[in-house]
Amino acid sequence: QVQLAESGGGSVQAGGALRLSCAGSGYVHRWYCMAWFRQFSGGEHEGLAYIGSDGTTTYADSVKGRFTISKDNAKNILFLQMNNLKAEDTAMYYCAADPSPERPCSSPSTRTYNYRGQGTQVTVSS
């Protein structure tokens, strides 16, 4: 059973930065497609950034140029560096893993991902 646990959320002023981490069990970060999502208070989910087993990255337009996804395979940790944060970035952020090698690693659908963490709250004040 894959387990994912996020950390690094908090409260920050607009224009500030945060770095989120997602620790995983086993070798999930090495072999799986890993993604960062966020869930807004109204319930909507948004896919933000994706990184494949080969390190290829993809970003949603809403965060491109501000957020960077990366991973440390040796430590089984996924990161999301978030810069120039805006009030509209306020949400619960969580990581997710897709074990299927057949699909492109860029699906914004939460149903693609078999595993997800509990999330970490990010609050940006203007």
Side-chain angles (χ1 to χ4, degrees):
Q1 180 70 19
V2 172
Q3 294 183 325
L4 302 171
E6 302 89 345
S7 61
S11 297
V12 65
Q13 296 277 343
L18 284 173
R19 189 193 198 200
L20 306 183
S21 298
C22 166
S25 60
Y27 295 98
V28 58
H29 298 89
R30 184 175 300 176
W31 302 116
Y32 290 8
C33 167
M34 302 298 299
W36 283 100
F37 281 78
R38 61 188 175 189
Q39 184 176 13
F40 298 102
S41 59
E44 179 187 356
H45 295 257
E46 180 184 17
L48 303 174
Y50 314 85
I51 186 165
S53 58
D54 63 353
T56 300
T57 59
T58 305
Y59 296 91
D61 288 341
S62 60
V63 302
K64 196 174 294 183
R66 298 190 299 126
F67 291 10
T68 302
I69 189 171
S70 62
K71 61 179 179 174
D72 185 331
N73 285 336
K75 297 181 179 179
N76 296 325
I77 301 178
L78 179 73
F79 300 102
L80 185 68
Q81 177 66 44
M82 306 187 296
N83 297 329
N84 189 23
L85 283 161
K86 305 174 182 180
E88 52 263 42
D89 292 318
T90 295
M92 177 71 74
Y93 286 69
Y94 62 93
C95 59
D98 173 17
S100 173
E102 291 83 27
R103 286 189 286 260
C105 186
S106 58
S107 172
S109 171
T110 58
R111 286 178 286 185
T112 299
Y113 301 86
N114 296 49
Y115 310 102
R116 60 162 287 181
Q118 294 295 314
T120 184
Q121 178 67 35
V122 171
T123 302
V124 184
S125 57
S126 56

